[in-house]
Amino acid sequence: MKTVQEKLAILADAAKYDASCASSGAKGTREGSKLGSTEGMGICHSYTPDGRCISLLKILLTNYCIYDCRYCVNRVSSDTPRARFTVDEVIQLTIQFYQRNYIEGLFLSSGIIQNTDYTMEQLNQVARRLRQEQHFGGYIHLKTIPGASEDLIAEAGRWADRLSVNIELPTAPDLVQLAPEKKREVIVETMETVKHRIDEVQSEKRAGFKPQRFAPAGQSTQMIVGATPTPDAEILKVASTLYSDQRLRRVYYSAYSPIPHADARLPAKSPPLVREHRLYQADWLMRFYGFKADEIVTADNQNLDLEIDPKLAWALKNRQLFPVDVNRAPRELLLRIPGVGTRSVERIIKIRRYHGLTVDDMKKIGLSWKKASPFVVTSDFNPSVKLLDSLLLKEKIQPKHRQLLLFDAKQSAETGEV
Amino acid sequence: MSVVAVSDFASWRDEARALLAANQPPHEITFIDATAPQKQSLFVGSAVRIVNAPTTPRSTPRVPKDFLTLAEKVSCHRDEIRFELLYRALWRLTHGEPKLLEIETDDDVRRLYLMEKAVRRDAHKMKAFVRFRRVEQEGEEYFIAWHRPDHHTVKPTAPFFTRRFPSMRWSILTPDLCAHWDLEELTFTPGVTSDQAPQGDLLEDMWKTYYRAIFNPARIKLKAMVKEMPKRHWKTLPETRIIDDLLDEAPARVEEMVRRQTGLATSAADFIPADHDYESLRQAAMSCRGCPLYQDATQTIFGEGPINAKIMLVGEQPGDKEDLEGKPFVGPAGQILDQALSEAGIDRSQIYVTNTVKHFKFTKSSKIRQHSKPNVHEMTACKPWVQAEIALVKPEVMVCLGATASQTLIGRDFKITKQRGEFIATEYCDQTIATYHPSAILRMPTQEAREETMAALIQDLRKVVSVL
């Protein structure tokens, strides 16, 4: 019999390939809570040397699994050590960690044992007892098992702040190849069930009713990147559909990382961290900057440039739109200037009501002037048209990066550090 | 020149109101920070007071609400210039620059916002980095933390902890100010030194176990970690004590990950021929090396039967006799199957019969070769053959005999005992049905059980006939 500590080592290790750890979005602490609060903003209580935050106690209920998804350390054919927490053990750990302010709450997932409904019921039981018996008001993120019955999903949403169904791999053929027992239709169907519930609750609220809570922090998903040759264009297209059709809060991209007891059919190499980073940047452009997936990646250029960020890459391909006059341009255009973030755009719009922006102002706003300068006109500055037209612009903007690249790329390939 | 000592937002606001009413321009006032003790001593002896004390204020100055929120935050900053800066901004707001706060590039405004940001961040880090240690005093449970804030954030942040931990007795000790919650009231006492705080908690070992396990040694991003978790806070965070070890171990852990692969690198997919007709498939399967089972088996046993068959039967794997004769279902289990088929009214020569795994897997005990169940690696490696056969025959009904075939072709969570005898639409065939494997009948302990299982097998096979 394994001790709780031994189980924790196995079941946290098994859970770490899920990138999400967000604890944000929950609206207001549940009534009657005696321990725990959710006030909207997520809190990261610690960081590990892999640069990821620890916000939630992220564990599996068990890593026994009947499925054989090749990229997964817990697949049935892996020789990884197995363990299973009891419901009580998870509850105790969550409460004890929470009381010491180590965590914001619990992110509970599980391998599939017996069948999907049985597994989902086990997860629900933990959440239900935390809420009802412990009066726990902290954050709970439950993994929703694709194909679980509607009743169980309804119950999960009642206790959890966030639900997530993993899309796993970008395309249906990828899934066939690496997770033959998981079906894209079933995954999407489960997402839709969650979405409909969320919609229902919202429309009831608008109608003035006080409906039971259902996953107030919405739903998210994760896809593994780099385990199959699928290009970024496909990945971003899928993400953009998920944002619009399923109205997901977040799509997480997880660079395929070598796992212990890896399936011999998958590449044992460093995770493509730079690519993962670029995908997140592209994701941000789609969500907050008004970019469409097919502007960021095109039919003839299906992958993101690893050397420069996707916004700069887009600007270099669309030089005819620049330079942009920061004292006149509409918000949509300001958002497209490389090196300028959403907050800087708001600042520019505010300040220019009172005076014309100068280079000095731009530097103070907190944007990357080096990156932005070739693309903007201020009241005292006009970029060299020659520079904007120059084929060397890319190098001019990032000379340091360029010079170091030979070493950088090698080092980052070795260390995985971006 | 006036010298004014203020310690927090409330006292600054009171003084500022009076000074403004007295029309005192900022350059004539020196604010000193009453919370910075060594600085105050500079003025020991000299009376700290307001010259030109206000007469009755002419009118309450009107300033944007945002300014008060900003001032409240900035007052918590540790930089002693904060009160002076705030008064200058207040002066400018009330003397011809009412929109000053919107001009974030103004030096004063920018500095104020930077200070506000630092305070906000510090308050956030307090919420994140306070680590309670559990102690028992006179049978009561207490949770005590030692924390070092960068700014004066204890007071404004303490209510967050009362909302979060209403049912715990807790104290947050800091060098400046300590906050206490006794389940009813939030109180503050002067700062203390770190030795006043408990030195450990048994649960910290468990927390470190979690920290170690959740860290992925294949991704090292130290800069990202230190940026969000500055080293000056590490002293109060127990988990940071194992960071050096984690980094030392990381390369070896990654190497181990890459080295220790499980499963098979190859599968039947590597041996599937370009032509998918029966003869090509059968020939290619004869030399399949997709898994190691070929090494001990005599030969590959491919499926047999007309390729336009309406019914396809899929078993588990060939047995001893099949392995020697080269045909599926010709041993004892085959005889049972033949008997069941004829009772159900199915002509074996009209159906296609095959197995999920095409080689005989066995263990040798004395003289006999004992059947041994194929494992997941072997089942997965061999699957492309049966998939190719299904694609070729396109049966109207597919019958899975036993758990191996059912779990491979219907679903991993399929249970023969619960779900046999039902038609299920699968990706391979709209009418897929699972039933007992004939060898299960051979293994039954009693004659009665054998007859019962046989009857069930025949019953399921009759269902097959009925839908054709």
Side-chain angles (χ1 to χ4, degrees), chain A residues 232-273:
Chain A
D232 295 338
E234 280 296 322
I235 294 171
L236 292 175
K237 212 169 79 192
V238 172
S240 129
T241 315
L242 290 171
Y243 282 127
S244 60
D245 293 1
Q246 311 298 338
R247 281 203 294 287
L248 295 191
R249 292 294 178 87
R250 280 293 294 276
V251 173
Y252 290 93
Y253 308 91
S254 184
Y256 172 73
S257 156
I259 47 174
H261 311 277
D263 191 294
R265 293 163 294 191
L266 280 180
K269 58 178 186 198
S270 291
L273 293 188

Side-chain angles (χ1 to χ4, degrees), chain A residues 5 34 36-37 39 45-47 49-50 58 66 77 79 100-101 104 181 261-262 276 347 354, chain B residues 102 104 110 127-128 130-131 163-164 167 201 209-211 215-216 219 221 239 260 262 377 412:
Chain A
Q5 194 157 357
K34 291 186 178 155
S37 57
E39 303 188 351
H45 287 268
S46 192
Y47 291 81
D50 53 21
K58 183 161 50 177
I66 57 172
S77 60
D79 302 330
R100 284 152 183 85
N101 203 38
E104 283 296 288
E181 288 136 338
H261 311 277
E276 180 191 278
R347 285 186 188 135
Y354 304 100
Chain B
E102 292 188 19
E104 289 185 43
R110 190 157 167 264
K127 293 173 188 173
V130 155
R131 294 281 184 270
R163 293 193 297 275
R164 173 153 289 199
S167 58
D201 184 319
T209 300
Y210 178 68
Y211 187 79
F215 158 62
N216 184 352
R219 327 172 29 124
K221 287 174 135 185
E239 66 272 23
R260 258 182 62 189
T262 54
H377 305 306
R412 184 81 64 186

Side-chain angles (χ1 to χ4, degrees), chain A residues 245-307:
Chain A
D245 293 1
Q246 311 298 338
R247 281 203 294 287
L248 295 191
R249 292 294 178 87
R250 280 293 294 276
V251 173
Y252 290 93
Y253 308 91
S254 184
Y256 172 73
S257 156
I259 47 174
H261 311 277
D263 191 294
R265 293 163 294 191
L266 280 180
K269 58 178 186 198
S270 291
L273 293 188
V274 182
R275 184 177 176 201
E276 180 191 278
H277 180 60
R278 295 286 179 239
L279 279 167
Y280 275 115
Q281 289 179 319
D283 185 273
W284 243 251
L285 291 184
M286 295 196 297
R287 284 156 68 211
F288 305 117
Y289 291 80
F291 279 81
K292 297 226 164 56
D294 57 8
E295 288 182 290
I296 303 168
V297 270
T298 51
D300 47 300
N301 212 341
Q302 301 232 334
N303 283 304
L304 296 166
D305 193 329
L306 294 181
E307 281 174 40

